[in-house]
Amino acid sequence: MNTRLAIVTGAGGAVGGSYLKHFLKAENTKCVALSRSNLEATEVIQFKVDLLDENKTREAIEQLDLSGISDLILVHGVGKFKYEDLESLPHLNQDPHKIDNEVFLSNYHTFVNVVNPLVEKLTKEHQGGQKITLALCGFGSISDKYKIPFWRSYTYAKDTLRQYIKDLAKSEEWKGLIRGRFINVSTTDTGNENKLRPNVTVEEKQYWLKPEKIVAQSMPVIESLQPLWQEIDVYEILPGFNPEEYYNDYQTIKQKWERQMGLVNA
């Protein structure tokens, strides 16, 4: 019987936890959780690790038992976000190529630190005659395509991650065994988002995306073996919302975010 192995990073968070719940209910699926905190779920193979630690992450991946595994899925929802007010960050304002290193490391290197040893491990399995397919799933913001200046470090990190996954998925070396998926989401109702924006109104929050919806809409795409690369948007429809107008109106974005973050009076 073919068995699937699902690896979920940031499994202690809202998005990662929702994917973990999904995989735990799925048939013929083993679950691995990579998290900085301990999880209550006992039926999950857990590794308590900081993904910024390349060596510790490699040690965790190398312990995985891939015997009998036919398909491996990595869902990686880890990554810090920062609102960058260019007026208060002159070093960013003066150099358009300058980015926040913490944001980049947490969004890009945490993924690479997992995938590099994972790909090496699969290479050995393939050389031994066991062909395992691999789905790499990253996450970004629907706003990334608009290059919002107030979170340009985040967008840069996500664009770099997109290209990394796409290159792996389309590489001649893997001949279709790796598929890349990128899920772009609107504002999602997570603990971190609520801490970042404590002054959001009840009306605004009703259009925040629930993690369960992300899972429901993305899983058919993640599970499908074709195409090798696919990017989808998941969002809540806000009546009358025009993304082209809103995302190009930087002043309106700045005013809304600063109000929601409590930096200015409502």
Side-chain angles (χ1 to χ4, degrees), residues 221-233:
V221 173
I222 295 172
E223 292 175 326
S224 176
L225 298 180
Q226 294 294 334
L228 294 180
W229 165 259
Q230 189 171 2
E231 192 166 353
I232 66 168
D233 294 342

Side-chain angles (χ1 to χ4, degrees), residues 71-108:
D71 188 38
L72 201 159
I73 295 175
L74 170 64
V75 174
H76 184 84
V78 173
K80 289 188 176 181
F81 173 90
K82 285 185 182 179
Y83 177 86
E84 299 170 320
D85 180 1
L86 302 186
E87 293 179 2
S88 61
L89 298 171
H91 64 291
L92 292 180
N93 202 20
Q94 293 169 3
D95 184 354
H97 301 294
K98 187 79 173 178
I99 61 165
D100 187 292
N101 198 48
E102 183 183 28
V103 171
F104 184 78
L105 289 173
S106 70
N107 283 283
Y108 180 73

Side-chain angles (χ1 to χ4, degrees), residues 143-202:
S143 69
D144 289 343
K145 69 186 74 173
Y146 297 96
K147 312 303 180 194
I148 309 301
F150 308 117
W151 47 86
R152 71 182 187 189
S153 296
Y154 177 85
T155 298
Y156 177 81
K158 293 302 185 182
D159 283 345
T160 307
L161 182 57
R162 280 182 181 88
Q163 194 60 51
Y164 173 81
I165 298 175
K166 186 185 296 186
D167 288 345
L168 270 176
K170 294 189 174 184
S171 66
E172 189 65 28
E173 176 185 359
W174 285 95
K175 300 186 186 304
L177 289 174
I178 292 182
R179 60 194 188 275
R181 302 292 182 260
F182 216 86
I183 315 301
N184 300 315
V185 299
S186 57
T187 301
T188 304
D189 195 355
T190 66
N192 287 335
E193 198 68 43
N194 280 281
K195 288 179 182 178
L196 177 65
R197 300 156 74 178
N199 289 357
V200 66
T201 66
V202 174

Side-chain angles (χ1 to χ4, degrees), residues 125-145:
E125 296 291 335
H126 294 168
Q127 290 171 347
Q130 182 183 3
K131 298 300 182 182
I132 303 173
T133 55
L134 170 63
L136 300 176
C137 180
F139 295 83
S141 170
I142 286 179
S143 69
D144 289 343
K145 69 186 74 173

